[in-house]
């Protein structure tokens, strides 16, 4: 099983979601996404939840870490 | 208020306020138009000399200040920048040139449609085509690269500039220009325009309402979240225009519009493509700028300069149709934006991180 990390910090809309999508295509079991603003966090979360994933969010300073898993 | 209810409510608020602003004096089907209002403000500051479109629009000021205040309160305010600033400036210039060919930003396109202006259907078709083209670039790895953290003070300057504009509007020094006829002379009282802007700024910041994001997310991710906001504006403004009897179905004789379908299409195609590459519509750029996104502030400056160029060079269309200069500019704009798209597309879009690990299952 692969854990894919995605660094989407500083990326403008819709790149965080697009990067997450690519990572999920490669590693459908587990993906971890780093973003640095609420908009990106909400967008990635909504995308993953719509695909039926569980999303666990932790705050790390200015950044958010989204753990996306089945 | 981040769910579907929030975005629908925000769309409804924008739709209602657009109708209210027309009722109180804004031009018909132009209760709100970000590009037109930036153009009017550019005229008010004397950056162009088109006498009929000169007025510092308080709606823009209100939107920026409302978004700034709520972003400070919610903790979303974060000064950042450095994601291809000059490319964004140029995209801002061309988005405005495209929008002024059509005579409206994506928001006014929806309001025109709601008011029965069928020319906006061709605008919408062009807009969606431009977005589709932009999505192709995004899927191929288009990126303007990341932003970096900046001093907080950098983020305070944009709202401070908006306050200065408000001061100029209220004090009316002799060097600030005010239209005495045409769309620039049609405006609601400052306090109503400002209040409407503040409310929209707050709601749009909270819900990330974006006119280009709706169609983009539908094409890219089959996600209708932002599109529901777009639809809510359309429905509410449509009902509003019926109630206030400004609804007028047809192609000819529409307020501040022309009936040249091809150029309505191409103008909005340019605006749509440019906006997708920017990551948001003109309204969204103002909200992001107020949140401390300096790249969006630079885009705003590009839009201001683009508006001035549009009128100084005779590019903007008028009620009688597109100008020859404007047609040339839109074609050049499409070419430049396509080149920007190709030149910023990373073939190695597959971003690998050092932290990627393989775990034996």
């Amino acid at each position: 099983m692969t854990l894919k990390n995605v660094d989407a910090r500083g990326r403008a809309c819709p790149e965080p979601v697009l990067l997450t999508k690519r990572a999920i295509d490669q590693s459908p079991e587990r993906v971890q996404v780093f973003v640095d603003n609420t908009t990106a966090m909400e967008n990635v979360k909504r995308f993953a939840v719509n695909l039926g994933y569980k999303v666990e969010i932790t705050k790390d300073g200015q950044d958010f870490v989204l753990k996306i898993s089945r | 208020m981040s769910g579907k209810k929030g975005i629908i409510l925000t769309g409804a608020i924008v739709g209602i306020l657009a109708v209210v602003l027309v009722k109180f004096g804004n031009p018909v089907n132009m209760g709100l138009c970000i590009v037109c209002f930036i153009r009017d403000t550019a005229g008010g500051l004397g950056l162009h000399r088109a006498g009929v479109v000169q007025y510092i629009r308080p709606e823009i000021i209100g939107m920026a200040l409302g978004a700034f205040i709520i972003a400070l309160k919610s903790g979303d305010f974060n000064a950042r920048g450095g994601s291809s600033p000059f490319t964004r400036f140029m995209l801002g210039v061309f988005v405005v040139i495209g929008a002024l060919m059509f005579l409206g930003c994506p928001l006014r396109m929806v309001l025109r449609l709601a008011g029965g202006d069928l020319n906006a259907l061709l605008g919408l078709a062009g807009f969606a085509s431009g977005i589709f083209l932009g999505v192709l670039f995004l899927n191929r790895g288009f990126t303007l690269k990341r932003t970096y953290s900046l001093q907080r003070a950098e983020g305070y300057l944009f709202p401070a500039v908006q306050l200065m504009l408000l001061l100029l509007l209220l004090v009316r020094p002799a060097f600030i220009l005010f239209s005495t006829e045409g769309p620039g002379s049609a405006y609601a009282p400052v306090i109503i325009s400002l209040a409407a802007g503040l409310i929209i700024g707050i709601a749009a910041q909270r819900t990330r309402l974006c006119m280009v994001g709706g169609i983009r997310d539908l094409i890219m991710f089959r996600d209708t979240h932002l599109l529901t906001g777009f639809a809510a504006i359309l429905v509410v403004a449509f009902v509003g225009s019926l109630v206030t009897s400004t609804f007028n179905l047809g192609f000819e004789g529409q307020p501040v519009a022309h009936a040249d379908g091809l150029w309505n299409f191409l103008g909005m195609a340019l605006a749509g493509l440019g906006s997708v590459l920017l990551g948001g519509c003109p309204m969204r750029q103002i909200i992001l700028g107020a949140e401390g996104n300096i790249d969006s502030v630079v885009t705003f400056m590009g839009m201001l300069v683009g508006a001035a160029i549009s009128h100084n060079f005779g590019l903007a269309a008028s009620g009688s149709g597109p100008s020859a200069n404007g047609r040339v500019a839109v074609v050049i704009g499409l070419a430049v934006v396509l080149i920007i798209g190709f030149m910023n597309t990373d073939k190695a879009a597959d971003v690998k991180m050092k932290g990627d690990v393989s775990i034996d299952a």
Side-chain angles (χ1 to χ4, degrees):
Chain A
M1 190 177 81
T2 324
L3 167 65
K4 186 99 184 137
N5 276 334
V6 177
D7 184 3
R9 287 174 297 181
R11 298 294 185 142
C13 225
E15 287 182 52
V17 179
L18 199 53
L19 294 172
T20 304
K21 182 172 182 250
R22 288 203 186 110
I24 287 179
D25 288 344
Q26 289 177 12
S27 156
E29 291 302 316
R30 264 184 82 192
V31 169
Q32 187 162 268
V33 185
F34 297 81
V35 296
D36 64 354
N37 64 83
T38 325
T39 306
M41 181 270 282
E42 286 168 1
N43 289 344
V44 171
K45 182 184 161 195
R46 192 171 65 243
F47 175 72
V49 169
N50 284 348
L51 286 181
Y53 282 91
K54 277 187 302 212
V55 182
E56 189 190 319
I57 301 166
T58 45
K59 197 149 197 277
D60 177 17
Q62 272 288 338
D63 301 341
F64 295 93
V65 185
L66 292 95
K67 290 195 171 84
I68 299 170
S69 59
R70 289 269 187 214
Chain B
M1 215 175 63
S2 58
K4 207 138 210 166
K5 273 185 195 155
I7 192 93
I8 292 173
L9 187 64
T10 303
I13 289 171
V14 170
I16 291 170
L17 289 177
V19 173
V20 168
L21 287 166
V22 170
K23 195 80 193 156
F24 276 98
N26 277 14
V28 177
N29 290 356
M30 207 196 283
L32 290 158
C33 171
I34 306 306
V35 166
C36 317
F37 288 3
I38 289 176
R39 183 262 326 267
D40 292 351
T41 298
L45 296 174
L47 298 177
H48 67 70
R49 303 287 156 161
V52 290
V53 282
Q54 295 171 329
Y55 177 62
I56 295 177
R57 291 279 177 185
E59 289 87 351
I60 304 273
I61 298 170
M63 286 171 66
L65 294 179
F68 170 67
I69 292 163
I70 198 74
L72 271 186
K73 260 184 85 84
S74 66
D76 283 344
F77 181 84
N78 178 21
R80 58 200 189 276
S83 159
S84 312
F86 193 57
T87 302
R88 289 180 187 274
F89 182 96
M90 291 309 294
L91 288 172
V93 168
F94 284 113
V95 163
V96 165
I97 289 175
L100 289 179
M101 168 57 80
F102 168 70
L103 291 172
C105 70
L107 178 55
R108 181 170 188 243
M109 176 186 74
V110 175
L111 296 175
R112 279 174 59 174
L113 208 54
D117 179 349
L118 295 177
N119 299 300
L121 279 178
L122 287 135
L124 179 61
F127 186 58
S129 307
I131 292 173
F132 182 76
L133 211 55
V135 167
L136 293 181
F137 280 111
L138 285 170
N139 281 336
R140 284 172 49 117
F142 172 87
T143 176
L144 293 177
K145 297 282 180 187
R146 65 162 299 175
T147 59
Y148 296 88
S149 194
L150 298 169
Q151 296 278 18
R152 259 178 108 75
E154 172 84 0
Y156 295 147
L157 273 175
F158 181 61
V161 165
Q162 298 298 328
L163 272 180
M164 277 187 252
L165 288 174
L166 182 60
L167 202 65
L168 290 171
L169 172 67
L170 296 175
V171 175
R172 291 180 163 244
F175 55 81
I176 295 298
L177 307 173
F178 291 89
S179 293
T180 49
E181 53 172 350
S185 67
Y187 50 82
V190 172
I191 186 72
I192 290 174
S193 295
L194 190 67
L198 279 167
I199 294 168
I200 293 168
I202 291 169
Q205 197 283 328
R206 292 318 298 151
T207 57
R208 340 286 183 203
L209 179 72
C210 176
M211 308 309 292
V212 75
I215 298 175
R216 179 200 63 206
D217 289 355
L218 180 73
I219 297 174
M220 284 188 91
F221 309 119
R222 306 270 171 265
D223 177 5
T224 56
H225 178 76
L226 288 173
L227 199 63
T228 53
F230 187 107
I233 299 175
L234 182 64
V235 171
V236 172
F238 168 66
V239 173
S241 72
L242 285 179
V243 170
T244 57
S245 30
T246 52
F247 186 81
N248 170 26
L249 191 69
F251 285 97
E252 298 299 328
Q254 292 292 342
V256 204
H258 62 77
D260 190 321
L262 174 66
W263 292 96
N264 280 328
F265 180 95
L266 289 176
M268 282 317 273
L270 175 56
L273 174 60
S275 295
V276 171
L277 300 188
L278 283 167
C281 70
M283 177 180 67
R284 183 77 186 137
Q285 298 301 326
I286 292 174
I287 306 295
L288 283 170
E291 286 178 21
N293 187 329
I294 302 307
D295 295 319
S296 290
V297 175
V298 171
T299 306
F300 178 84
M301 296 311 293
M303 293 195 288
L304 194 70
V305 169
I309 290 174
S310 287
H311 285 279
N312 288 338
F313 295 1
L315 312 180
S318 67
S320 50
S323 68
N325 293 6
R327 293 172 210 213
V328 173
V330 166
V331 171
I332 292 174
L334 283 167
V336 170
V337 175
L338 285 172
I339 292 169
I340 286 174
F342 280 114
M343 294 195 66
N344 291 283
T345 297
D346 267 341
K347 281 278 161 56
D350 176 24
V351 182
K352 279 227 158 71
M353 264 186 85
K354 281 180 185 159
D356 284 359
V357 285
S358 290
I359 305 160
D360 290 314

